[in-house]
Amino acid sequence: MNSQTTHQPWSRKEQVNSIANKEFDVLIIGAGASGAGVFLDALSRGLSAAIIDKQDYMAGTSSRSTKLVHGGVRYLEQAVKELNIGKYQLVKEALSERKRMLYMAPHLAWPLNLVTPVKGIIGLPYFRIGLGVYDFLSGSEKIGPSKIENKAALKRICPDLETKSLTGGVSYYDGQFDDARFGISMIRTGIEMGGHALNYTEVSQLTKTAGKVTGVTCKDLQSQSSFDIKAKVVVNTTGPWTDHLREMANPDFKKMMTVSSG
Ligand SMILES: Cc1cc2nc3c(=O)[nH]c(=O)nc-3n(C[C@H](O)[C@H](O)[C@H](O)COP(=O)(O)OP(=O)(O)OC[C@H]3O[C@@H](n4cnc5c(N)ncnc54)[C@H](O)[C@@H]3O)c2cc1C
């Protein structure tokens, strides 16, 4: 019985040896939320997979989010205003995923009651109708009802809120989650499914065969040693660093990313 099946932590050396100079069906660069999702997806299809990150797992954007598991209430507003079926489908999918996350990992994702203060006479019916549609679309995936709150209720919920200029407020439910722990749980699940993961390992070069990316050269930032990894498919899930990796693949690339911070 090896250390993986007994769930004993591997030594760093064993982890490096399990990946260095090996070949996988899928190699994922970037162990944030996107990379962890691709890792689990590949493994659940019976493919061999490895995931690496130059920092710790989830140390990028995926531990710095607002930590909401939202069904996309503002996309719903855009879907209606722009008559955009794509955004409507996005909301439907997000509502379904929201429920799934809360169901699968109740210790890491839970319902959150949100309150929005509203000004003006049209505000309240506008939000009431919008959130009514949101509740309706949630169907059996609803996690709590939305409702109108009067000024007294707003004051009770948020004592510091200046309510003089408000007409009231609306309360509704979305989810909240521990983004970093959620992602790390996904990586751990992948390892239990036979996947390989290595943090503090930076890709410095992409290797190509007949013009196609077939692997990487990377550096273990702890030992400073370099090694290659080969893969049938190399997936770039480096979030804000996406263009950097694309430039490694093709120096004549066109930038895709416009990064921002919140
Ligand atoms: C301010 C803000 C608030 C947000 N709020 C929410 C929210 O409430 N709810 C929600 O669901 N989403 C939210 N998001 C969106 C969500 O956080 C991101 O969509 C998600 O974290 C992106 O994950 P990622 O894996 O694509 O990127 P990242 O998490 O950034 O992962 C990329 C990884 O690639 C690694 N990497 C880069 N270059 C290399 C290299 N050369 N070699 C090896 N590894 C490399 C990095 O170290 C990093 O860990 C928010 C985003 C922002 C910016």
Side-chain angles (χ1 to χ4, degrees):
M1 194 180 280
N2 65 29
S3 56
Q4 195 179 337
T5 50
T6 55
H7 303 281
Q8 296 298 315
W10 285 12
S11 72
R12 173 82 187 170
K13 202 169 155 213
E14 279 176 301
Q15 274 181 307
V16 173
N17 287 343
S18 77
I19 283 185
N21 305 310
K22 300 278 189 305
E23 179 163 3
F24 299 91
D25 291 325
V26 185
L27 171 66
I28 302 136
I29 311 168
S34 308
V38 174
F39 187 49
L40 270 191
D41 190 282
L43 290 161
S44 63
R45 289 164 201 268
L47 301 169
S48 64
I51 185 165
I52 56 174
D53 200 294
K54 65 177 179 177
Q55 307 179 82
D56 202 354
Y57 308 120
M58 308 294 144
T61 324
S62 299
S63 54
R64 295 150 202 262
S65 81
T66 315
K67 310 192 194 304
L68 288 175
V69 190
H70 52 80
V73 70
R74 69 194 163 99
Y75 301 129
L76 178 62
E77 187 181 27
Q78 291 166 9
V80 174
K81 281 185 177 164
E82 299 164 15
L83 293 176
N84 186 325
I85 190 79
K87 286 198 174 148
Y88 167 79
Q89 282 160 344
L90 178 69
V91 176
K92 280 295 280 176
E93 188 183 349
L95 284 167
S96 157
E97 291 293 324
R98 180 184 76 174
K99 183 69 183 235
R100 191 163 294 126
M101 282 176 75
L102 268 62
Y103 172 74
M104 285 173 64
H107 58 306
L108 299 175
W110 50 88
L112 176 73
N113 190 198
L114 294 139
V115 178
T116 303
V118 176
K119 279 182 179 174
I121 320 164
I122 318 167
L124 277 183
Y126 179 79
F127 279 105
R128 180 58 274 181
I129 292 166
L131 288 168
V133 175
Y134 195 55
D135 284 352
F136 175 74
L137 286 181
S138 308
S140 60
E141 264 125 32
K142 193 160 84 178
I143 51 177
S146 61
K147 61 175 190 250
I148 300 274
E149 303 286 6
N150 61 26
K151 281 201 211 187
L154 278 185
K155 202 75 192 164
R156 199 173 55 246
I157 300 165
C158 314
D160 291 337
L161 191 69
E162 175 52 73
T163 52
K164 226 184 275 170
S165 60
L166 302 177
T167 39
V170 285
S171 82
Y172 69 102
Y173 280 84
D174 251 328
Q176 189 175 40
F177 75 133
D178 184 329
D179 53 1
R181 280 190 65 199
F182 200 100
I184 287 172
S185 295
M186 289 173 71
I187 300 277
R188 291 184 64 159
T189 306
I191 292 170
E192 284 177 17
M193 289 166 77
H196 297 272
L198 195 60
N199 51 5
Y200 302 111
T201 300
E202 181 168 25
V203 170
S204 52
Q205 209 182 317
L206 300 173
T207 49
K208 288 187 179 178
T209 310
K212 184 177 174 276
V213 175
T214 49
V216 302
T217 299
C218 51
K219 190 179 191 182
D220 172 2
L221 299 176
Q222 296 205 333
S223 68
Q224 304 301 319
S225 62
S226 290
F227 53 84
D228 290 347
I229 309 171
K230 285 192 178 145
K232 294 193 181 88
V233 175
V234 177
V235 185
N236 175 5
T237 53
T238 55
W241 293 269
T242 295
D243 275 344
H244 186 56
L245 266 285
R246 291 179 61 239
E247 189 173 16
M248 282 185 201
N250 174 16
D252 301 324
F253 83 119
K254 266 207 180 111
K255 266 181 171 245
M256 274 173 72
M257 305 291 293
T258 309
V259 291
S260 65
S261 62

